Amino acid sequence: MTRPPRLPAHRDPGDSWAVAPDGTRYWGAFGAAGLLAHDPGRGILLQHRAAWSHHGGTWGIPGGARHQGEAPLAAALREAAEEAGAPADRLRPAAVHVLDREVWTYTTVVAEVTAAFEPVAGDEESLELAWVPVPEVAARELHPGFAASWPVLREALAHRPVLVVDAANVVGSVPDGWWRDRAGAAQRLVDRLARLASTGVDAGSLGLPLERWYPRVTAVLEGAARGARSGPAVRVVDAPGSGDDAVVARARALAAEGWHATVVTSDRGLRERVAADAQVRGAGWLLELLDAADQSG
């Protein structure tokens, strides 16, 4: 097919051009978004773009215009599902990279493939879809925009952030009566951590590149606080004895596995014990992030 398909009469308002003062046009009136799906065993999901498309014949990632009122993450997952049959329930968002042209933005969502799937072209925008090993991506004829972003995106694949939360210290830093119901206070913290995991953390707060990250979260509970419900976003570790010992053991294990760990505690002794295996942030740092996540939800 050498011509673009006719746009539907009742298309979303986002399916049109954003125009810069110098006349440069960018597809997506509200910006655009794409998905960089990374399968550690197979590589990056790339789309060989149809000849009629912008920079046709090059390779890039599934993506397209954001719909009116649509968040970039939702847009990236929708476009990947429409263009490549990528199932959202087999993808875990890991990070966000934003290209800002003032009148237009392109958001790349880096996602980890949690269960293997075979891509299927769902429209006429693809000549083919393929899993390309990471070292071989740059050898393809890449879409210029993706080619410019690929070096920083590739570097980001090496980072695996995780928060290890000293729950007793964080809960105890706020005098809200937590001592009357330690288990309930721990559960409320775990629920708030789940919201934070879904909204993400500013990259600068973690000392990482790109704009935003969705770190894994581990909450370490001890004593009467143990037994909080866990979930896919937050892993709960019930310390059999000292919570501090469990935090140290967890940080050490994560470091050995190559994770970029951030331990959250204001306990001076614990901070010193984990310094060799993780960066450390205080309880106040986390509480500010939790407040922001609560407000955004």
Side-chain angles (χ1 to χ4, degrees), residues 73 92-93 163 165 167 170 185-201 212-219 221 228-236 286 289-297:
L73 174 57
R92 181 188 175 279
L163 302 183
V165 181
V170 174
Q187 186 64 63
R188 288 191 293 275
L189 174 61
V190 169
D191 292 342
R192 296 184 75 194
L193 288 170
R195 283 194 290 275
L196 177 64
S198 67
T199 58
V201 177
R212 199 161 194 82
W213 287 82
Y214 298 87
R216 295 182 183 273
V217 182
T218 295
L221 309 182
R229 298 185 306 276
S230 187
V234 180
R235 176 182 179 182
V236 172
L286 177 62
L289 293 178
L290 293 174
D291 287 343
D294 291 343
Q295 294 170 10
S296 68

Side-chain angles (χ1 to χ4, degrees), residues 64-270:
R66 290 167 54 187
H67 287 176
Q68 188 172 27
E70 186 176 38
L73 174 57
L77 292 172
R78 175 184 55 76
E79 286 286 339
E82 293 175 355
E83 296 184 359
D89 60 356
R90 298 190 182 191
L91 296 162
R92 181 188 175 279
V96 170
H97 172 56
V98 180
L99 173 66
D100 191 345
R101 296 299 192 211
E102 296 186 357
V103 300
W104 179 86
T105 60
Y106 189 95
T107 302
T108 301
V109 175
V110 181
E112 170 193 357
V113 175
T114 57
F117 66 89
E118 294 304 323
V120 178
D123 56 28
E124 299 169 314
E125 295 188 30
S126 304
L127 293 173
E128 61 179 312
L129 298 161
W131 291 103
V132 180
V134 171
E136 300 176 15
V137 169
R140 302 274 172 138
E141 183 182 356
L142 301 179
H143 181 283
F146 178 56
S149 298
W150 172 240
V152 68
L153 292 170
R154 177 175 181 172
E155 178 190 354
L157 296 178
H159 297 292
R160 295 190 295 164
V162 57
L163 302 183
V164 181
V165 181
D166 176 8
N169 185 266
V170 174
V171 169
S173 68
V174 181
D176 59 359
W178 55 266
W179 52 87
R180 291 190 290 269
D181 180 10
R182 294 172 187 264
Q187 186 64 63
R188 288 191 293 275
L189 174 61
V190 169
D191 292 342
R192 296 184 75 194
L193 288 170
R195 283 194 290 275
L196 177 64
S198 67
T199 58
V201 177
D202 176 77
S205 296
L206 296 171
L208 293 175
L210 306 190
E211 278 68 39
R212 199 161 194 82
W213 287 82
Y214 298 87
R216 295 182 183 273
V217 182
T218 295
V220 178
L221 309 182
E222 64 180 359
R226 292 179 296 184
R229 298 185 306 276
S230 187
V234 180
R235 176 182 179 182
V236 172
V237 173
D238 287 332
S242 163
D244 285 8
D245 289 346
V247 170
V248 171
R250 187 66 185 147
R252 186 167 299 155
L254 288 166
E257 296 170 5
W259 288 84
H260 181 100
T262 299
V263 170
V264 181
T265 185
S266 294
D267 183 281
R268 181 176 299 177
L270 181 55

Side-chain angles (χ1 to χ4, degrees), residues 31-67:
L35 187 82
L36 184 82
H38 176 221
D39 184 326
R42 295 189 290 177
I44 305 298
L45 176 58
L46 292 186
Q47 175 193 52
H48 195 187
R49 299 167 63 83
W52 55 264
S53 65
H54 194 218
H55 297 291
T58 61
W59 291 81
I61 57 175
R66 290 167 54 187
H67 287 176

